[in-house]
Amino acid sequence: MRRLVAWLLLVVGLVSGLTGAALLTVLAPPATIDVVERSDDPGIAVVTSPGLVDLSGPDARISAQAADGADVFVAVARADDAEAWLAQARHTDVEAVTGELSDPRARTSTTGSGAATDPRTADVWLASTTGRGSATLTWPTGSDADYRDGGGIVLFTATDGVAAAPGTVRLSWHAEGRAASHPAGIPLVVSGGVLALLGALGVLLAPRRSRPDARRRA
């Protein structure tokens, strides 16, 4: 009976360990968290909520693409400054990232009405760049706390403040911490290793059943 239990521990341990190893390697989450927001009516700008820039990793990247090849403006700003520039203009807020690690999605809402001034002429941006048809900007994470007096940091994209904002916006972070690995991976590897070791010792140390002498059976 003890030998059977030992074999069961060994098999369960090996299965658990291999499953955990797979979750940490071939089945591990992607190295980056990529969220793509597509909209036919985003308003004149797309803006992230304060704090979202610090979702994960050493930096956050915003990339935007306009379908009509128009000039694309992307920037980073204090939340209060971006809100003051937007005023009541119609825009899309990226409020949060939801869903599974393998399939993250943006939760958004669209508010306001009307247009705004050309963002390229404003002096409220901490960093900005403009590109023909598309543009990309990277900002270091961990900086949101430095701008709490301004409501935090937001990522921002628009065109000229009157025409529609880019219809495709991608937000990217390098996965770190819990987002970088499956939470069950390490526990399965550790528990599987312990069970396999106990099972192997049990198999080696369990007494073998002796065979009765053939002549005695006869």
Side-chain angles (χ1 to χ4, degrees):
M1 182 64 181
R2 284 185 296 175
R3 192 173 182 81
L4 177 60
V5 172
W7 274 109
L8 288 175
L9 288 176
L10 179 59
V11 172
V12 171
L14 289 175
V15 172
S16 297
L18 291 174
T19 301
L23 291 176
L24 294 174
T25 55
V26 295
L27 299 179
T32 59
I33 302 172
D34 291 314
V35 181
V36 180
E37 168 62 16
R38 293 184 175 90
S39 177
D40 295 330
D41 183 24
I44 57 92
V46 177
V47 189
T48 65
S49 293
L52 194 59
V53 67
D54 289 333
L55 179 66
S56 179
D59 54 53
R61 175 177 297 180
I62 178 170
S63 302
Q65 183 174 357
D68 57 0
D71 285 345
V72 173
F73 177 82
V74 293
V76 177
R78 294 179 177 86
D80 291 350
D81 291 337
E83 185 177 351
W85 178 87
L86 284 166
Q88 302 301 317
R90 181 174 175 79
H91 66 281
T92 294
D93 287 309
V94 181
E95 299 173 340
V97 174
T98 62
E100 300 295 330
L101 291 175
S102 58
D103 185 27
R105 301 178 182 180
R107 188 180 72 213
T108 64
S109 63
T110 303
T111 58
S113 61
T117 60
D118 192 329
R120 294 168 294 186
T121 64
D123 61 356
V124 299
W125 317 113
L126 299 174
S128 65
T129 187
T130 302
R132 187 67 178 175
S134 64
T136 299
L137 183 64
T138 301
W139 183 259
T141 57
S143 58
D144 195 69
D146 298 334
Y147 296 95
R148 286 177 181 172
D149 57 340
I153 293 293
V154 298
L155 303 175
F156 173 98
T157 183
T159 52
D160 61 1
V162 177
T168 301
V169 179
R170 179 187 296 271
L171 302 172
S172 303
W173 298 263
H174 293 284
E176 284 188 349
R178 293 184 177 181
S181 61
H182 197 288
I186 294 178
L188 282 174
V189 169
V190 173
S191 60
V194 172
L195 291 176
L197 178 60
L198 292 176
L201 290 175
V203 170
L204 293 174
L205 298 178
R208 296 177 179 272
R209 296 179 60 182
S210 59
R211 295 181 179 181
D213 186 84
R215 290 174 298 178
R216 184 179 301 174
R217 290 202 308 269

